[in-house]
Amino acid sequence: MNSLVLFLLTVVAFGSCLKLPSSFKKCDRKTTDFNQCLSEAIYGALRILDKPLPSHGLPSLYGVEFPDVFTMGNSTYGLLQKFYQTRYIGLSKPENINAKLDFGPLTITLTIEATYSQLTVETEFEAQGTIVLLPVNVITPVVYTLVNPTYTFTFVLEEYEKGTTYFRVIDSKIDAQTQGLKFDYKGLFSNKVLNEEFNNAMDEKWRQIWILFKSFDEVLFAPLFGTIFNDFLKKVPAAELVDG
């Protein structure tokens, strides 16, 4: 009886395994050009993910939505700011990908360096308080444009068995760099000239502001990308992802 139960569980486990779509490239870790092949495979996969692939737990990476609300400051002593309905536009369209997979004794580290000509971030911005003694109480759309950004995603993986071998994400990190950051607060002030001048002033100070912007990516967005990748890894066995 126990043997029959084990057999049935094994059949179910293997029956639930998914293969990679034929459009996804597969690489052999024993070859000398493995990381180059991996870079090409990830580049191609990102391009395919202009549209979601729900069968494999993958959303569209063209417009990635972040559900969390981020709050900073306070209205008593300055400006309370809230950001919500945030979307990253263009992650599925990198100019170049450099990826490597390092196999350690206990864990595996996947590093993906993705460069873009530009990325845009759309969000709803709510502000209450004062800016240089000027009262502010507004909700407005905002578009941030990153010029020639490079995003480096690091995923630490471990193997586990569920009828066959799978990977899972146990840690995820993001490092972001950009050559410029442009701001477009659509309606922070009712005075159009003042609104335009505010955006111009923000553009000039982009390097200082980028330090804060970058911290959002590292603290808030890295776990979300880890979850997206992990949902995919739950469905596809390791042998389907990498040969060797």
Side-chain angles (χ1 to χ4, degrees):
M1 179 62 72
N2 289 338
S3 298
L4 176 60
V5 172
L6 179 60
F7 172 76
L8 291 175
L9 289 174
T10 302
V11 169
V12 170
F14 276 92
S16 63
C17 295
L18 285 177
K19 292 183 177 295
L20 281 177
S22 58
S23 51
F24 279 50
K25 188 175 183 178
K26 189 177 177 183
C27 303
D28 188 341
R29 60 177 289 196
K30 294 179 181 178
T31 60
T32 57
D33 64 345
F34 171 71
N35 285 330
Q36 179 181 343
C37 176
L38 182 66
S39 300
E40 294 170 355
I42 292 174
Y43 177 88
L46 287 174
R47 290 281 174 164
I48 292 167
L49 289 173
D50 258 5
K51 297 180 179 179
L53 193 63
S55 61
H56 289 70
L58 290 171
S60 167
L61 293 184
Y62 177 76
V64 181
E65 298 183 1
F66 298 89
D68 294 337
V69 176
F70 180 73
T71 302
M72 59 183 294
N74 64 78
S75 58
T76 303
Y77 300 105
L79 191 67
L80 173 65
Q81 302 175 71
K82 294 182 180 180
F83 303 84
Y84 50 93
Q85 296 180 357
T86 303
R87 298 177 71 228
Y88 262 71
I89 309 298
L91 286 170
S92 62
K93 295 187 177 297
E95 295 289 315
N96 188 56
I97 292 289
N98 283 314
K100 63 178 181 177
L101 200 60
D102 295 319
F103 291 84
L106 298 177
T107 61
I108 302 163
T109 301
L110 171 63
T111 305
I112 304 170
E113 182 184 88
T115 57
Y116 299 85
S117 58
Q118 78 169 37
L119 289 173
T120 56
V121 181
E122 299 177 351
T123 188
E124 289 292 313
F125 175 72
E126 181 177 348
Q128 297 175 354
T130 58
I131 300 178
V132 195
L133 302 181
L134 181 66
V136 175
N137 189 349
V138 67
I139 298 176
T140 178
V142 186
V143 177
Y144 305 102
T145 302
L146 284 67
V147 181
N148 296 320
T150 298
Y151 272 68
T152 303
F153 302 86
T154 303
F155 302 100
V156 180
L157 314 175
E158 68 176 5
E159 295 181 346
Y160 69 99
E161 298 295 322
K162 193 181 68 174
T164 187
T165 302
Y166 286 82
F167 296 130
R168 63 180 159 218
V169 178
I170 59 174
D171 191 25
S172 57
K173 297 178 182 177
I174 293 176
D175 178 71
Q177 304 294 334
T178 187
Q179 296 179 18
L181 182 61
K182 297 181 179 179
F183 302 83
D184 186 9
Y185 287 81
K186 302 294 185 180
L188 188 59
F189 304 105
S190 58
N191 184 308
K192 292 184 178 180
V193 175
L194 179 60
N195 201 80
E196 184 177 348
E197 289 300 323
F198 179 84
N199 284 325
N200 290 338
M202 294 284 283
D203 289 349
E204 292 177 2
K205 300 293 185 181
W206 76 267
R207 285 183 175 85
Q208 295 93 317
I209 299 167
W210 172 248
I211 296 172
L212 179 62
F213 198 101
K214 180 181 175 180
S215 70
F216 295 170
D217 288 337
E218 295 171 348
V219 176
L220 298 178
F221 302 154
L224 179 59
F225 284 112
T227 298
I228 291 172
F229 189 31
N230 204 43
D231 287 345
F232 169 70
L233 294 176
K234 289 177 183 177
K235 296 178 180 293
V236 183
E240 281 295 313
L241 298 171
V242 180
D243 279 328

